[in-house]
Amino acid sequence: MTSMTHRRSARAVPAALAASALLALAACSSSPGAAPASGSSADTEGSQDEPLGGTVTLVTHDSFHIDEQLLADFTSRTGLEVQQVAPGDGGALVNQLVLTKGNPLGDLAYGIDNSFASRAVAEGVFVPYSSGEPAAADAAAFALPGDDTLTAIDYSDVCLNIDDGWFAEAGVTPPATLEDLTKPEYQDLAVVPAPTTSSPGLAFLMATVAAFGEDGWQDYWRALVDNGVKVVPGWSDAYYTDFTVGGGGDRPIVLSYASSPPFTVPEGGEEPTTSALLETCFRQVEYAGVLAGAKNPEGAKAVLDLLLSAEFQAGIPESMYVYPVASAVELPSDWVRWAPLAEQPLTLDPAVIAEGRDGWVREWSEIVQG
């Protein structure tokens, strides 16, 4: 049993099973909160002295979380009520944004990751906005080349994780690299989510493209299949059903996150029961942007500023289990010890992703699913 349940499961649910939901998130409070778009280049209406008012609809994935008190403070300060529409995981989110760009689902979108961001930008889903929050300078380091519409909010490393206890008990040397998964001693031990239905699954496919090249990743996947890799629809299926730690399954190797191990410290224990294989990681970045055609664009800018605020950024690790872009945030001590980021994560140029993504997924489907 883990000491805490991941909130990441919704990132990987199959798009076909993800139902749209409209959730009112706001409440009233008299506490001070984040200023609405103050100091930003596009601050035209909102100010501390003149609340914006109205409703802002945030389109996001199901695992978005914000502290209720922080949101109440924001509502008290700005007069804005924030509502959430959650059409699914990262892939489903972008699909819906593209399909509805003439009549957008809301005012602001959060949760578009670098696997899909180039598509949304190319389709003209967002409009330019530059926040004046201090964290915006940190976010700029993750910006897509030539784009001024998306702002990075958080990032993470999608990596293979292993059950340390299983390998110790079995007397098997744990794997360390992607190549290791094709070796006989690891036959039938790994489970990963599919890139067709899972955001981390797509990140893993891209990790293999980055590692083995556009002409070599196909042979790697054929070798994985021959070695008994199990492919399931989503991250939650892999982690909570088939993984030996998360769900009591029979697979001690699972695709998850570099931030997963701290949540496997047993009750009363001192160390995690799992480890992330940092040589297998793909860097995943999540963005937010003001939607073209938004009914409340000024409110959307204020909410984007809230996502970059010191208070929201500080809560990201323990609420959404990813890393905040704000360099000023002090990470939880167990993250510092047990959730280090990869020093050299696998990455792909956004232009390469944009050109190759759909073709890679089609080829993967032919290789793995027949």
Side-chain angles (χ1 to χ4, degrees):
M1 296 291 292
T2 61
S3 62
M4 184 178 231
T5 301
H6 284 67
R7 190 178 297 275
R8 304 293 296 175
S9 58
R11 303 286 174 106
V13 293
L17 300 179
S20 298
L22 184 62
L23 304 174
L25 297 175
C28 294
S29 171
S30 59
S31 304
S38 59
S40 67
S41 62
D43 182 22
T44 58
E45 295 180 24
S47 70
Q48 295 181 16
D49 298 322
E50 184 182 351
L52 292 167
T55 298
V56 177
T57 300
L58 173 63
V59 188
T60 184
H61 49 58
D62 296 334
S63 56
F64 174 77
H65 177 78
I66 186 170
D67 179 79
E68 292 183 4
Q69 186 59 54
L70 176 61
L71 190 59
D73 293 345
F74 173 78
T75 298
S76 178
R77 182 69 170 268
T78 65
L80 290 167
E81 179 182 351
V82 181
Q83 294 183 326
Q84 180 184 354
V85 173
D89 74 346
L93 172 62
V94 172
N95 286 338
Q96 288 300 309
L97 292 177
V98 171
L99 289 172
T100 61
K101 66 178 182 179
N103 184 25
L105 295 173
D107 303 296
L108 178 78
Y110 160 80
I112 303 93
D113 69 41
N114 51 321
S115 299
F116 294 101
S118 57
R119 181 188 175 202
V121 170
E123 292 283 351
V125 169
F126 301 100
V127 296
Y129 176 64
S130 297
S131 174
E133 291 291 324
D138 296 314
F142 299 93
L144 297 175
D147 176 60
D148 59 357
T149 64
L150 287 177
T151 301
I153 304 298
D154 58 69
Y155 64 101
S156 59
D157 282 345
V158 176
C159 320
L160 292 169
N161 280 220
I162 61 170
D163 178 350
D164 295 315
W166 187 96
F167 283 98
E169 185 174 341
V172 177
T173 301
T177 66
L178 291 172
E179 291 89 340
D180 285 345
L181 263 63
T182 64
K183 296 179 179 178
E185 56 264 42
Y186 306 114
Q187 185 172 9
D188 298 331
L189 298 187
V191 57
V192 300
T196 52
T197 50
S198 163
S199 177
L202 181 57
F204 183 61
L205 172 58
M206 292 186 178
T208 64
V209 175
F212 302 105
E214 293 189 63
D215 297 322
W217 68 266
Q218 300 90 337
D219 287 338
Y220 175 75
W221 272 96
R222 292 186 184 99
L224 280 184
V225 172
D226 290 343
N227 211 36
V229 67
K230 184 174 183 178
V231 179
V232 296
W235 175 90
S236 57
D237 304 290
Y239 202 95
Y240 289 120
T241 299
D242 293 291
F243 188 36
T244 50
V245 172
D250 60 1
R251 302 261 168 167
I253 305 171
V254 67
L255 184 73
S256 195
Y257 295 84
S259 54
S260 294
F263 300 102
T264 66
V265 177
E267 189 74 29
E270 296 182 357
E271 297 184 1
T273 60
T274 64
S275 298
L277 306 184
L278 298 184
E279 292 185 41
T280 70
C281 300
F282 185 84
R283 181 64 50 83
Q284 192 176 58
V285 182
E286 289 188 308
Y287 299 91
V290 178
L291 291 166
K295 294 179 180 178
N296 191 347
E298 296 306 317
K301 296 167 190 174
V303 174
L304 198 154
D305 286 353
L306 175 66
L307 299 182
L308 284 178
S309 69
E311 295 82 3
F312 180 81
Q313 288 282 306
I316 283 177
E318 293 187 338
S319 65
M320 293 193 289
Y321 312 135
V322 289
Y323 300 80
V325 295
S327 58
V329 170
E330 183 176 349
L331 293 173
S333 59
D334 56 347
W335 279 49
V336 174
R337 186 176 183 186
W338 302 118
L341 288 163
E343 292 184 1
Q344 294 182 311
L346 295 162
T347 60
L348 288 172
D349 186 276
V352 173
I353 293 176
E355 182 176 353
R357 178 185 54 243
D358 294 344
W360 300 334
V361 172
R362 283 194 299 270
E363 286 188 81
W364 179 92
S365 296
E366 293 172 359
I367 293 168
V368 177
Q369 299 176 331

